[in-house]
Amino acid sequence: MKKLLVLLAALATMALILSACSESSAEGGEDAAKEVNLLFNFATNSLDPHVDTSYVPLRAGIAETLVYLNDETLEIEPWLAESWSSEDGQNWTFKLREDVTFQNGKPMDGEAVKASLERAMTDNIAIKNALRIESIAVEGPELTITTTMPFPEFPSELVHPNTSIIDVSETDFINKPIGTGPFAVASFTPGTAVDLVRFEGYWDGAAKLEKARFSFNEDANARSLALESKGADIVFRPEVETVEQLEAIDGVTVESTSTFRVHQMTMNLQRESLKDVHVRQAIDALIDRDMIAETILSGHAEVATGPFPSSFSFAPDYPEKKRGIDEARKLLEQAGYTEQDGVMQKDGEPLTWTLLTYSARADLPLIAQVFQSDAGQLGIEVVIEQIEIPEEHMAANRDWDLTTYSNLTAPRGDAGYYLNATYHPDGALNFSGADDNKLTAMIDELNQVVGQEQRSDIAEEIASYVDEQMYNSFVLHPNTLVAYNSDKVKNWTTTRSEYYMLTNELDVE
């Protein structure tokens, strides 16, 4: 019955997609516009670039940031900002491009950029904490930005999608933000799709596509079916089990690219049982990473020993750990737990965990189920709770113990972003509630260091300390899977940062 319901839901989704496509073709006839439909795995109900956690405005080419991340060199490069400089790491001068206009024809000048950044900090406390801006002054095409403290890595924070520059005098941020990107919003149906049209005045050359659709479906199987039936041209994260089937289709290309992402077990350090490091270590020991990588991800992943992929200079050589159910039992015994009548307990209270997960990343619920099964062998009840938007839920609720969560850990080629966001008390992604004075001091020291070699050394020390304390447990580094109709789609690039998708260079036959 369950399989039948899933199939019916997928067929219903396909019917809607195909209906939309047939209507588009009928309207355009032989002169149909050059367009693509990209099907993404996260739905959004808002296009507000400053708060949208799915980063759709940047990914869909609606908005842009001052600074761009080069996916190959992992270095930041000019984008809307032409250049930047600082003599002391606290007072920064940014020179803006002078040939950029918003999609409503207004110039992107210093005052507009200042207003956009200030609005981002007002509406998104995480961005305010990340940027640490004390003041912004404008003189012609130049911005003088002063941070609250010396912050040598400040420009890299401006890669973040929530710092996208928009015209804040146009106030329908949710449905039609006005950015500087190659595509303007034609219409937006929350939770379904945003339809886009080419912005003819784009500063870097008008897009090759006339139209585009950035649509959403959190069902991985439905995304795969959409590509098979040509209801979508590009599918982000198709179901892993369908990869071989998709690769066998004439004209379909599947790309599996390593990323800066980690699947982790986020721990709520405010929960009584998780205040004990031995319990946290037991959770880590229970996770069968090799099995998960091979069965759930079909090998499209690297087993994680920490938050950063092993290729980064700031990824430590972690000490070998004992793993498995027997090791987890020993660690729990050190925390005062005993297994009685098949129930793990302490002081007569059974050990029970609430584990959050979400379906937008299809492998996370499966990881949760594997963990639930293994914990059950120790007499631990794990109650799995499905949520929709993990960041919002974890921030607003503290009645959970664990969350299978996926996060970009080094999207700018540097450890500072993840360590600040995840472990600093003011961090935007500090859902664990980590508040460790020693750890905070180490992160503050990192924030004031410029040289990459020294930064890597400090970051390595921090990552080792996090491992000792087991503030989170890291499962694997998944590859990004993208499948697309390569007979039609040209110039598609699967990026490691996952930030840049619909570009002015994307084209169709």
Side-chain angles (χ1 to χ4, degrees):
M1 176 61 73
K2 184 177 179 182
K3 289 184 177 179
L4 177 61
L5 290 174
V6 170
L7 179 59
L8 289 173
L11 290 173
T13 300
M14 285 306 308
L16 287 172
I17 293 173
L18 289 172
S19 173
C21 290
S22 62
E23 287 174 12
S24 175
S25 298
E27 291 170 4
E30 293 183 1
D31 298 321
K34 293 176 67 174
E35 59 184 303
V36 297
N37 179 12
L38 184 150
L39 189 54
F40 194 54
N41 62 316
F42 269 110
T44 186
N45 291 314
S46 169
L47 293 180
D48 188 338
H50 295 154
V51 297
D52 171 35
T53 56
S54 296
Y55 307 152
V56 170
L58 185 79
R59 287 167 165 157
I62 300 165
E64 299 169 311
T65 51
L66 294 177
V67 176
Y68 180 90
L69 178 70
N70 184 309
D71 213 53
E72 295 182 3
T73 65
L74 302 185
E75 294 179 354
I76 57 173
E77 296 178 350
W79 207 8
L80 295 180
E82 194 173 86
S83 63
W84 54 88
S85 62
S86 175
E87 293 184 1
D88 58 7
Q90 186 168 10
N91 296 284
W92 295 87
T93 299
F94 282 78
K95 188 176 187 305
L96 304 176
R97 296 189 62 94
E98 296 185 60
D99 56 349
V100 180
T101 58
F102 290 108
Q103 290 145 1
N104 57 9
K106 295 180 182 178
M108 185 211 72
D109 56 20
E111 291 295 344
V113 172
K114 177 176 186 272
S116 182
L117 290 175
E118 288 178 341
R119 194 245 170 193
M121 291 186 290
T122 298
D123 285 36
N124 189 332
I125 189 64
I127 288 299
K128 179 181 179 180
N129 291 337
L131 297 182
R132 306 179 188 195
I133 291 176
E134 184 175 274
S135 64
I136 304 175
V138 177
E139 186 173 341
E142 289 189 351
L143 296 181
T144 300
I145 300 178
T146 301
T147 55
T148 57
M149 60 185 289
F151 191 12
E153 292 303 306
F154 170 70
S156 70
E157 292 295 333
L158 297 172
V159 170
H160 197 293
N162 289 150
T163 68
S164 293
I165 305 303
I166 58 173
D167 180 1
V168 298
S169 70
E170 301 269 8
T171 57
D172 190 4
F173 305 117
I174 291 176
N175 297 297
K176 196 170 183 178
I178 304 299
T180 61
F183 296 101
V185 178
S187 64
F188 173 51
T189 305
T192 301
V194 53
D195 287 297
L196 306 150
V197 293
R198 178 167 62 197
F199 171 38
E200 299 292 348
Y202 181 54
W203 64 271
D204 198 28
K208 292 179 169 60
L209 296 174
E210 297 168 64
K211 297 180 180 180
R213 169 169 260 227
F214 199 100
S215 50
F216 321 116
N217 194 313
E218 296 188 350
D219 184 324
N221 188 55
R223 293 197 297 274
S224 296
L225 287 172
L227 184 69
E228 287 186 53
S229 63
K230 298 188 178 179
D233 305 304
I234 305 167
V235 170
F236 200 76
R237 296 189 179 277
E239 188 173 50
V240 173
E241 293 176 354
T242 67
V243 166
E244 288 188 12
Q245 180 180 329
L246 293 175
E247 288 176 329
I249 299 173
D250 227 12
V252 168
T253 295
V254 180
E255 295 180 353
S256 179
T257 305
S258 63
T259 67
F260 315 129
R261 180 172 294 281
V262 71
H263 284 357
Q264 66 185 47
M265 189 74 79
T266 296
M267 304 186 193
N268 183 352
L269 303 176
Q270 296 173 358
R271 302 289 272 184
E272 195 58 40
S273 68
L274 299 182
K275 291 178 181 178
D276 192 315
V277 66
H278 295 105
V279 175
R280 302 196 296 269
Q281 290 170 339
I283 290 169
D284 185 70
L286 271 175
I287 299 171
D288 191 341
R289 293 159 173 80
D290 290 313
M291 186 274 286
I292 290 170
E294 287 305 315
T295 59
I296 297 177
L297 275 297
S298 299
H300 294 282
E302 172 192 340
V303 167
T305 52
F308 309 115
S310 58
S311 56
F312 283 109
S313 61
F314 41 80
D317 291 326
Y318 294 100
E320 192 76 23
K321 294 185 181 70
K322 294 181 180 179
R323 303 197 185 277
I325 290 174
D326 289 339
E327 179 63 19
R329 181 180 288 108
K330 291 177 184 176
L331 289 163
L332 288 171
E333 287 173 356
Q334 292 180 54
Y337 289 87
T338 57
E339 193 174 351
Q340 297 180 24
D341 299 323
V343 177
M344 188 64 68
Q345 53 189 284
K346 182 178 181 180
D347 300 328
E349 291 292 326
L351 183 56
T352 302
W353 292 320
T354 297
L355 172 57
L356 307 180
T357 192
Y358 50 102
S359 60
R361 297 195 180 278
D363 29 341
L364 295 184
L366 298 176
I367 292 172
Q369 291 169 21
V370 170
F371 181 81
Q372 180 188 50
S373 175
D374 290 341
Q377 296 183 53
L378 277 177
I380 303 170
E381 182 184 9
V382 175
V383 179
I384 296 176
E385 182 180 336
Q386 289 276 345
I387 58 176
E388 291 188 6
I389 304 175
E391 293 82 7
E392 290 183 8
H393 190 99
M394 287 190 284
N397 302 277
R398 304 307 292 168
D399 57 352
W400 54 275
D401 299 281
L402 306 167
T403 304
T404 55
Y405 182 57
S406 188
N407 188 25
L408 288 168
T409 58
R412 297 148 217 180
D414 184 87
Y417 161 74
Y418 177 81
L419 297 176
N420 272 279
T422 308
Y423 299 112
H424 198 282
D426 296 329
L429 305 177
N430 188 358
F431 306 120
S432 292
D435 192 356
D436 180 326
N437 290 337
K438 179 178 178 180
L439 179 56
T440 302
M442 295 168 76
I443 295 171
D444 286 340
E445 179 187 3
L446 174 68
N447 290 338
Q448 298 186 49
V449 173
V450 179
Q452 188 56 54
E453 185 174 344
Q454 189 181 356
R455 287 183 61 79
S456 292
D457 290 343
I458 297 172
E460 190 173 338
E461 290 177 17
I462 297 172
S464 294
Y465 182 77
V466 167
D467 180 65
E468 290 171 13
Q469 300 301 315
M470 198 56 66
Y471 282 144
N472 285 316
S473 186
F474 305 97
V475 184
L476 49 84
H477 303 288
N479 286 5
T480 287
L481 289 173
V482 177
Y484 61 99
N485 180 354
S486 49
D487 278 349
K488 175 183 178 181
V489 177
K490 304 301 174 187
N491 304 333
W492 167 260
T493 300
T494 302
T495 63
R496 297 174 67 192
S497 68
E498 304 178 4
Y499 282 168
Y500 316 113
M501 296 184 183
L502 296 185
T503 70
N504 63 329
E505 292 300 319
L506 191 62
D507 202 358
V508 294
E509 285 284 354

